[in-house]
Amino acid sequence: MLKIVETGQPDKYTKAISVIHDNDEIASGKVYLADEQEAKIFRQKLKKKVKEGDPYSVKIIFKNEEYARKHMEETKRIVKEKFSQVDVKHVFLLVERNGRLEKVEG
């Protein structure tokens, strides 16, 4: 079973998270929180109800390709449950390949 936990002290506009499976960290990432200007843009241009401090984007980096393939769908589901106001287009699941971060496709 997967779970997402906050790690460390969040700063004003990001939260560090870890994806845990059977007490092992399989991925880490960040949740990005809207600042005053971003919240204003979301409200005016995109007509979304976003306030300062609300999450608007999530980036998760898997530790290896195997974890990414095996846990991608469940990770998406849990992110959607935990950060429901984040649009699915702004959830990025990544893995390092050949020294570069690439999107996990599934």
Side-chain angles (χ1 to χ4, degrees):
M1 175 158 162
L2 285 181
K3 62 182 174 181
I4 294 178
V5 296
E6 287 185 34
T7 57
Q9 255 329 70
D11 66 28
K12 192 169 183 178
Y13 298 113
T14 60
K15 292 181 187 179
I17 58 172
S18 290
V19 180
I20 309 294
H21 179 261
D22 293 337
N23 294 323
D24 290 327
E25 180 184 48
I26 63 167
S28 60
K30 287 196 177 202
V31 177
Y32 296 91
L33 310 174
D35 64 22
E36 185 178 329
Q37 186 66 27
E38 290 165 329
K40 185 177 178 182
I41 291 169
F42 275 107
R43 288 192 305 271
Q44 291 178 345
K45 304 249 188 241
L46 302 175
K47 308 294 186 220
K48 295 192 181 233
K49 296 179 183 177
V50 175
K51 298 180 296 217
E52 183 178 4
D54 284 353
Y56 69 89
S57 182
V58 178
K59 183 190 309 180
I60 295 175
I61 302 169
F62 287 95
K63 291 195 179 264
N64 63 45
E65 190 84 33
E66 179 185 341
Y67 290 149
R69 281 195 307 270
K70 192 173 181 183
H71 299 290
M72 180 182 67
E73 291 302 320
E74 190 174 3
T75 301
K76 280 185 193 175
R77 182 184 57 77
I78 291 172
V79 166
K80 188 175 178 178
E81 288 173 8
K82 188 163 180 90
F83 306 106
S84 59
Q85 62 269 57
V86 175
D87 190 327
V88 72
K89 295 182 294 189
H90 297 271
V91 175
F92 303 98
L93 302 179
L94 307 167
V95 68
E96 187 175 338
R97 293 183 186 125
N98 301 320
R100 295 179 37 181
L101 287 178
E102 295 183 13
K103 195 171 184 180
V104 176
E105 301 296 333

